[in-house]
Each structure stands twice: as C-alpha cells, then as structure tokens.
Amino acid sequence: MCRSCGAIVGAGQTQCAVCGAPSATQPTTAPARQVDRETVRFARAVLNRPYKFTIIFLMANIFVFLLMWESSGLTTNALAGFPEEVLVAYGAKLNFRIAGPNYEWWRFIAPMFIHVNLIHLLVNMYSLLMVGPFVEKLYGSAKFVVFWILTGIGGVVASYLTVRPQLATNAFARFIFKAEDVPSAGASGALFGLVGVLFVFGIKFRRELPEGFKRAFGTGMLPIIFINLFIGFLGRGFIDNAAHLGGLLSGAALAVAVDYQRPGVRRAITGAWRVMQILSLAIVLVGFYEVARSFNRPALEAARAAPDPNTLIFLNYANAMSQVQEKVVAVIHKNDLTGVREITDHAQQAPAPDARAVELRDQLLAILAKLYDAAAKANPSPNQEPDRPPPLDPKLVNEFYDWRKAYDEWLKRAAKTYNAVR
C-alpha cells in the first residue's frame, strides 16, 4: 500500500504507479524521487470517494438474473442460455415489440439490466466493478447514475436503429447492422458508455490531470476500446456491436458536455443533477413496473414445460437405436431379415446428440450389416423359414453384446445430461 496516496503497489515495484512515491521496499541507497504532491492529493481525494451506485447497479443486475433463472426452472441448462420466452418476458429489446401496436417503450430501458446467460453476466459485472468506481469517484454518484442510464438507453436505441436486413450484406456491414430482429440484452452498452466518459475525460482535462492519472484515462483507454471492438467484429454473429458503439458515443458526448468538479474541492452539487439522478432512477423503476405489468407467466410456464430441443434430439436418437437393437436380436434369434434397410436408413437420419452417439451408431449399424450378411448366407431363401435358424458366428453375437454394454453406459450419462430423466 502506497503511504502517500493509498493505492496498491505491486510486489517488486520500487515506486507507486499512481503518484510516483517510492515504495517501502525500495533500497535506502536509491535516490528518492520527488513526489508529485498534486497527484497525491488528487489520488487521495478520488480513492476516498464512495462508489455506492456501482454496487447498487451490480446487485440489481444479479437480482434480475436470479429472477430470470427462477422463471427458467432453475436448471443448469438455463445458465448456459435463457429461453427466448424468458428474455422477452423480462424486457429484452425486440424491434417489432417496440414498434408494435402496444408500443412497449420500456424495452429501451430494461435490457441494460438483463443478461442472456451466466457468462454474459459475469463478464459485464466484472467490467462494471473495474470501470464503474473510477467514473463514480471522479464525477460523483449523481452524474454517474445519469451516465449509466442514459448511455445504456443510447446503446439500446442504436441497436434498435441498426436492424436493417437490406444493409447487412457483408462481413463489415454485419459488424453494425443486423439481418434479423432477435432479442438483445446486456449492460455492455452502458459499460461502453462509461469507457467513453473516461476517454473524453482524459483528453478534455489532460493539462489539468496529475501526471500519474494521464496514463490511465484518455488515450490510455484506446487499447481497451480497440480490443473490445475487435472481439465484437469476430463475434458479430451474436454480439450487438451497434449497442456497444451507441453506448460509447453517447458516453463520449456526455463527457464533452458535462462539467467536471475536481475531487477535494468543496462545492455542493447543483440541484439540477440531483433532479436528473432522481428522474433517471424513476424512469428505470417505471420501466420495470411496465415489465411486471405485462409479465405473461402462463406463457413462461408453457415454455418451461415444453421439452428442450436437445432433449428431443436425444429421445429421437434413443428411439431409433432401440429399433436397430430389436432388429439385431431378431436377426440373431430368428434370422428375421425383413425391414433391415428401412430401420438402417431411419437410424442414419436421426440426429445424434454428441460425437460419442455417432460413434456408437456407426458401430451398431456395422454389426447389423455383418449379421445380415451372415444370416443371408446361412438362410439363402428368406421365403422358407426353418424350424431352427442356423447358428451365426459367436464372435458377431458377442460383439453386439459388448457394444450394448458400452451403449448402456453412455445412455445413463446422456439421459442426465439432456434432462431426459429427473
């Protein structure tokens, strides 16, 4: 811990990266660097400011996520991605619902507090915890609340305006424009807004900032911006880059227009910002009141009762494999060769739930083909059924029973994986 400004000093570092003061582990023989007193005063003032609304927004996002998980049935599959019905019920952005006859305007507000899966939530909340305290400490809680909500809405508006199938014609166009109107949600628009605020802040006050802070803001934010935009380009099929850019630009515009009060300067915040803070929070509350008022729980219950698509694939595959096994047993014990081609074609057309299922299916069909050839040779006239079918090669029969043991082991694990059993 730096004794001058209170910032964390990394192990082995000889001076504080914020204020430049020598660390306690620095050798006494090294010449002491002159401490920038203005940086120390600025750092202490920033570090001592609270960031309560950063925590409030973080907890609000987690609370809404838990509600969505409960509405999804509290299953582990839901953590990997909520059903579309749940996203829509909680206010995800959908153009046709916003522009429809009911004009669901609250879908411009709710998306900044909802997330599509657990990874989405964790990434965004970690980013909020890293960026949010800087903005709230620099500008104060009132301005921070206004920044978060306005830039979040700005990101959703940008997403709404860029659903243009006629413009999403190539890879670069699809970076911004979307070909389909699909549910969009997440706090990343507001997070990019905070990054835009810090970027403009560092440039706007580059001559007034202490030396230790110039590296953190302004052009120091460019690597973060470019890296995230590059990631957005790679994931343009599922990342809403328009919302990111909308939040970034709206945050930069707010930072240009908003005055800045230096930490440590005692001056009461103007009543206008308090009023704007209250109005911003009121808009969010009214928006979620509309979400609750239009909440369609029967539709969610029906969607939750419907089988998961992966479960249906598993069940169809298991049914096809059961038919093949029955035919194998019929070939072994009765030399029954009827319908083998139809059953084989049906098994090949049934989608397999995973790679192991494909391997097991191929093995079983190969065993059936061998048994069919052996039985056809042993009983060349299928119209004449002998009283006792000629015995088949025991190796083929044992191969089938060995296969069935491996299949039963996979079946038990897969039934749990694909929620085919409770």
Side-chain angles (χ1 to χ4, degrees), residues 88-395:
V88 173
Y90 278 86
K93 188 230 72 176
L94 269 175
N95 283 31
F96 81 92
R97 300 294 287 265
I98 295 174
N102 295 328
Y103 185 56
E104 299 177 0
W105 58 268
W106 59 87
R107 295 185 185 276
F108 284 121
I109 300 167
M112 73 179 83
F113 291 95
I114 64 179
H115 294 83
V116 300
N117 55 40
L118 181 60
I119 296 298
H120 192 201
L121 174 77
L122 294 178
V123 170
N124 280 350
M125 292 305 97
Y126 175 78
S127 301
L128 172 59
L129 201 56
M130 294 296 101
V131 179
F134 280 111
V135 178
E136 189 169 1
K137 287 180 176 185
L138 288 169
Y139 282 92
S141 294
K143 292 180 181 179
F144 171 77
V145 169
V146 176
F147 288 164
W148 175 266
I149 295 174
L150 290 186
T151 57
I153 294 175
V156 179
V157 170
S159 176
Y160 175 84
L161 295 176
T162 52
V163 179
R164 296 289 183 268
Q166 66 276 17
L167 297 179
T169 55
N170 55 60
F172 291 99
R174 287 193 294 273
F175 173 70
I176 298 178
F177 298 103
K178 294 172 282 294
E180 298 179 1
D181 182 20
V182 296
S184 176
S188 52
L191 289 168
F192 268 80
L194 299 184
V195 171
V197 169
L198 292 178
F199 174 68
V200 172
F201 169 83
I203 295 176
K204 187 177 179 182
F205 300 101
R206 61 187 180 279
R207 295 176 181 173
E208 301 178 31
L209 278 177
E211 187 64 32
F213 282 78
K214 290 181 180 179
R215 296 188 297 270
F217 309 131
T219 55
M221 303 299 296
L222 286 176
I224 296 176
I225 296 173
F226 288 138
I227 289 173
N228 280 277
L229 291 179
F230 178 71
I231 293 173
F233 179 77
L234 295 179
R236 56 192 176 276
F238 58 91
I239 295 178
D240 195 340
N241 294 293
H244 295 175
L245 291 173
L248 180 68
L249 294 177
S250 58
L254 284 172
V256 169
V258 172
D259 192 16
Y260 171 69
Q261 177 182 335
R262 292 176 66 83
V265 177
R266 293 186 175 274
R267 186 175 69 186
I269 189 167
T270 61
W273 279 107
R274 289 296 182 195
V275 171
M276 292 177 65
Q277 178 188 25
I278 294 172
L279 288 176
S280 299
L281 294 173
I283 290 173
V284 172
L285 293 176
V286 172
F288 272 102
Y289 168 76
E290 291 293 337
V291 171
R293 195 166 67 89
S294 62
F295 200 79
N296 191 347
R297 184 164 290 277
L300 285 181
E301 294 293 338
R304 189 164 64 183
D308 183 78
N310 292 328
T311 302
L312 290 177
I313 292 174
F314 167 77
L315 293 175
N316 290 334
Y317 170 85
N319 180 59
M321 296 297 283
S322 295
Q323 294 179 15
V324 177
Q325 291 181 73
E326 291 174 1
K327 178 51 63 178
V328 169
V329 173
V331 172
I332 292 174
H333 296 288
K334 300 179 181 179
N335 270 30
D336 182 5
L337 304 181
T338 60
V340 171
R341 181 178 298 275
E342 291 77 7
I343 291 175
T344 300
D345 292 341
H346 176 66
Q348 289 176 336
Q349 293 171 3
D354 53 44
R356 177 58 175 162
V358 175
E359 181 182 355
L360 289 168
R361 179 179 61 191
D362 293 343
Q363 291 174 357
L364 180 59
L365 293 179
I367 292 172
L368 177 59
K370 294 176 185 177
L371 288 170
Y372 179 87
D373 292 341
K377 292 178 180 178
N379 186 21
S381 178
N383 295 325
Q384 299 177 357
E385 296 184 3
D387 295 334
R388 289 187 178 181
L392 299 175
D393 186 352
K395 292 183 179 179

Side-chain angles (χ1 to χ4, degrees), residues 11-81:
Q13 293 184 356
T14 58
Q15 63 185 39
C16 176
V18 175
C19 67
S23 66
T25 57
Q26 184 178 7
T28 55
T29 56
R33 177 181 171 182
Q34 185 66 27
V35 178
D36 184 350
R37 296 185 180 276
E38 176 63 10
T39 298
V40 173
R41 189 185 69 81
F42 189 93
R44 284 178 175 172
V46 169
L47 292 172
N48 289 334
R49 270 187 170 181
Y51 52 97
K52 56 186 177 182
F53 273 96
T54 297
I55 303 301
I56 290 173
F57 287 146
L58 185 145
M59 296 305 297
N61 277 270
I62 295 176
F63 177 71
V64 172
F65 182 86
L66 292 176
L67 290 178
M68 295 174 68
W69 189 28
E70 189 279 331
S71 297
S72 302
L74 296 175
T75 63
T76 54
N77 284 346
L79 295 177

